[in-house]
Each structure stands twice: as structure tokens, then as C-alpha cells.
Amino acid sequence: RMPSCLLKLTRVVLSHKPWALIILIFLFVSFTYIKLFWDIWEDPRSRGPPYGLSAEISCAHYVPSPLNIAGGPSPSAGNVFFVETSEQTTPSYLFSCSVESAARTHPESRVLVLMKGMAKGNTSLPKHWAFSLLGCFPNVEIRPLDLTELFSGTPLRRWYLWPLRHWEPHFLAVLSDACRIVLMWKFGGIYLDTDFIVLKNLQNLTNALGIQGDDVLNGAFLSFKPKHEFMELCMQDFVQNYNGWVWGHQGPELLTRVFKKWCSLRTIKSMNCKGVNVLAPEAVYPIPWQDWKKLFEAVSALELHKLLKNTYAVHIWNKLSHGTKLEIPSQALLAQLYSQFCPATYAKMKQD
């Protein structure tokens, strides 16, 4: 026989059918959602080895010049980090160029590409030309991005584990913002967005970030020593002043407001303040985001040299430029950058 308490509950449910149905549906959907994302975020037992980069293409063809890496990366050289926070595992030409240009300009550093879409525990990469091409560079490593492990021991752990976080409109961008400041605080080194083309070695830019223009700092490039107090303040501000519904609030706006407090400033200019170096726009953002179309305009070799004379890397503003057709080969500024600084990727572009 049915227990009395269950019988009473059944009678109540039957007497309020519409509301009961709504409540049951809500509870079922909530439980399913939380179970799904808890499984996704479950902390793995081990980090696992890096993926093997099997070069299924001819490295001699794609890497025409010697890499000059005699003994591999130097343990004393800081790592260069790239992060892919989406499930994407089919790198674009620009992605490949970013990693290749960093590998060429930092032959004594490990270039670590952390990708959320890589299956943990699997040591083979998906079949894709970019992974084969990057396999030609002995200092490049592709690793799975273990977000639970990355955020552990930081103020961002509880922020990340909230089950409904994924529904925020700018979640992937905010997740990328979170990863970079935690990487810099935990490990130090250099962080770059996957839409940079690197022209020069960045290792001498220590505890540095760049002005993108209009009194705003940008975190697409960061270079810091591990456990730096500025990065610790950025993590604290990330949680205390969190707003995932406003584009850039956890990115450029966060870095800008923390630096203004750090130095008691109202406006930001190129300077060194309390051990943090703010680089002039031409260092890593020579093309302002408002002028991104200039990347697709033809320039002479002399104009290109003048434009990039004091530049370490060029940000391509992929969020704005990704749908624009680039003629290969051509005298377009971006085409010339590909040709000079990621020639293996450029060769693949021409072949395709």
C-alpha cells in the first residue's frame, strides 16, 4: 500500500495539476543541466602527457629555413602560452600563423597551446593540417586545457564552478580573460591571443602589457613573472567586480581599472609604474581596432618597415576581420606579414 505521506502528496499534486507539472518540468530540467555540466567540469585524476605532434607533411617543404633549435627549449626561458577556450579543434590559418611566428621568434622557449576541445588522456591529435605543420617545430606543445585544475587554488575557482555560468552571453570571451590572468599569476611567461603575428622575441618585455588606444589597456598580450602582485589584484577584481553581461568588463576594462588603482591614475599613458610596464600602442597594437581594414590594404615594403619599426607583434583583431577575404599572394599588409613571419603557414595558404 502507498505510504500516507506519499498519498497526501499525490492528492495535492492532482489538485494543482498545472502548477505541479510546471514545477516537475523545472526540477527535471535543472537536475539534467547541473548533471551534464558537472560531468563536463569534473576534475580529472591526472593531467596526462602532451599530445604527440606527428608531422604527416614534409617538414622540409613547410619549414624552408632552419629553426636553429640545437638542444630544444631552455628551462630558464619563460613559456609562451596560447589558449583556445572553445571546443574548436580545427585551427585556422591565423591560429597556425600565430603559433608558428611565436615558435620562430622564441626558439629557446616552450610554446604551449592549451585547447579545451582536446580529449584528456588521449595522446594523439585530431587529423588536421595545422597540427601536422606545427609538429615541425620542436618547441611547440599542444596540451588539453584542464580548466578545473587551472583555476584550483585561485579566487576564480568558485566563479568557474557555478553551474549556470555557461549561459552568460560572453562566456567564452570571459573564460579566456580568466585563463590568461591565472596563467600569468601561476606560471608567468608570455600570453598571446591566437590572432597575433609575432615579429620579434618578446622575452625582454617583463611585467608588461600594452595600450590599445583611447586610454584602455588590452590583455591580448601579457608578460609577467609568476605570482606578481598586479596579476593577483586582477584575479581579486575579476571576482569582486564581476559582470559577465558587459563585453570587455572582465578583459580590457578590468586591466585598465586595476592599473589605475595600482598607480592612482585617472588616465593611462606609456610608462613604468611600480614595476609594471605599459607599452605604447605601436609595440603590440600598431593597427588600432578602428582601422583594422588597413590590414587588407596594399603597402610597399618601405611603408611596412616604417609602420612596424618599433613593433614586437601585430594584433589582427580577428573578431572584426575574420570574414574579410585576403588575396594570396598580394601586397596587402596582412599577406606580407604571413609571408615574412609564418612562411610555413603561408605556403599552405598558397597551396590551398
Side-chain angles (χ1 to χ4, degrees):
R1 294 180 61 185
M2 188 179 296
S4 59
C5 60
L6 186 57
L7 184 60
K8 289 179 181 178
L9 178 61
T10 304
R11 287 172 180 170
V12 171
V13 169
L14 291 174
S15 63
H16 299 82
K17 289 181 181 178
W19 285 108
L21 184 60
I22 292 172
I23 291 170
L24 288 172
I25 291 173
F26 175 78
L27 290 174
F28 175 76
V29 171
S30 299
F31 174 80
T32 304
Y33 176 84
I34 292 171
K35 181 67 170 65
L36 172 65
F37 283 94
W38 189 259
D39 289 343
I40 291 173
W41 293 339
E42 187 177 4
D43 191 8
R45 295 294 179 185
S46 62
R47 183 175 182 176
Y51 283 88
L53 293 178
S54 174
E56 297 175 358
I57 60 174
S58 171
C59 289
H61 173 70
Y62 281 96
V63 187
S65 57
L67 288 175
N68 192 28
I69 305 177
S74 167
S76 61
N79 294 328
V80 180
F81 292 97
F82 291 93
V83 174
E84 177 56 68
T85 54
S86 75
E87 299 293 334
Q88 181 66 254
T89 57
T90 54
S92 65
Y93 295 119
L94 181 54
F95 186 112
S96 175
C97 181
S98 297
V99 179
E100 179 188 344
S101 63
R104 288 181 180 277
T105 51
H106 298 79
E108 296 186 357
S109 301
R110 286 195 307 168
V111 179
L112 298 175
V113 183
L114 308 179
M115 303 187 74
K116 184 173 179 289
M118 295 297 184
K120 299 175 182 65
N122 190 351
T123 57
S124 61
L125 284 164
K127 300 291 184 181
H128 192 272
W129 65 265
F131 296 130
S132 295
L133 186 151
L134 295 174
C136 297
F137 296 83
N139 58 335
V140 172
E141 293 183 21
I142 313 290
R143 289 183 177 271
L145 175 59
D146 184 343
L147 291 165
T148 306
E149 180 183 342
L150 177 63
F151 294 133
S152 67
T154 75
L156 277 72
R157 179 180 178 275
R158 291 184 64 184
W159 163 83
Y160 173 68
L161 291 177
W162 188 55
L164 301 181
R165 185 70 62 203
H166 186 81
W167 288 101
E168 294 175 351
H170 310 301
F171 174 69
L172 288 181
V174 172
L175 186 59
S176 178
D177 293 330
C179 288
R180 68 192 68 186
I181 61 177
V182 172
L183 281 168
M184 290 297 95
W185 183 77
K186 274 193 168 184
F187 307 109
I190 294 167
Y191 167 84
L192 290 166
D193 275 0
T194 55
D195 57 350
F196 259 110
I197 298 180
V198 186
L199 318 186
K200 302 172 185 174
N201 191 290
L202 299 161
Q203 292 290 2
N204 63 330
L205 302 177
T206 307
N207 301 329
L209 67 170
I211 302 175
Q212 73 170 32
D214 301 325
D215 192 39
V216 175
L217 297 175
N218 195 311
F221 157 79
L222 296 171
S223 177
F224 278 86
K225 296 291 185 182
K227 303 299 188 294
H228 196 282
E229 185 183 354
F230 182 78
M231 285 291 106
E232 184 175 2
L233 292 174
C234 287
M235 290 193 300
Q236 293 172 4
D237 185 280
F238 188 100
V239 176
Q240 293 169 2
N241 298 306
Y242 184 75
N243 187 340
W245 296 82
V246 177
W247 175 264
H249 186 79
Q250 304 304 122
E253 291 183 20
L254 181 151
L255 294 166
T256 301
R257 61 179 175 263
V258 171
F259 186 78
K260 285 182 176 179
K261 291 178 184 177
W262 177 263
C263 297
S264 301
L265 295 173
R266 289 190 175 183
T267 59
I268 296 177
K269 58 183 179 180
S270 176
M271 62 188 300
N272 180 305
C273 179
K274 296 169 63 176
V276 176
N277 296 292
V278 171
L279 308 176
E282 58 264 27
V284 286
Y285 306 109
I287 308 296
W289 68 266
Q290 301 93 328
D291 299 330
W292 65 267
K293 291 183 179 179
K294 288 185 177 179
L295 291 162
F296 299 86
E297 296 174 1
V299 296
S300 68
L302 181 60
E303 289 175 314
L304 185 64
H305 175 74
K306 288 181 178 179
L307 177 65
L308 304 179
K309 183 178 180 181
N310 298 313
T311 298
Y312 287 82
V314 179
H315 194 226
I316 306 302
W317 308 108
N318 188 53
K319 184 175 174 60
L320 299 170
S321 64
H322 71 275
T324 306
K325 184 179 180 181
L326 177 65
E327 295 291 339
I328 295 292
S330 73
Q331 289 300 108
L333 192 159
L334 182 54
Q336 293 193 58
L337 292 177
Y338 274 109
S339 175
Q340 293 183 40
F341 300 102
C342 54
T345 301
Y346 184 71
K348 174 62 177 171
M349 294 172 74
K350 288 196 298 182
Q351 174 186 306
D352 291 348

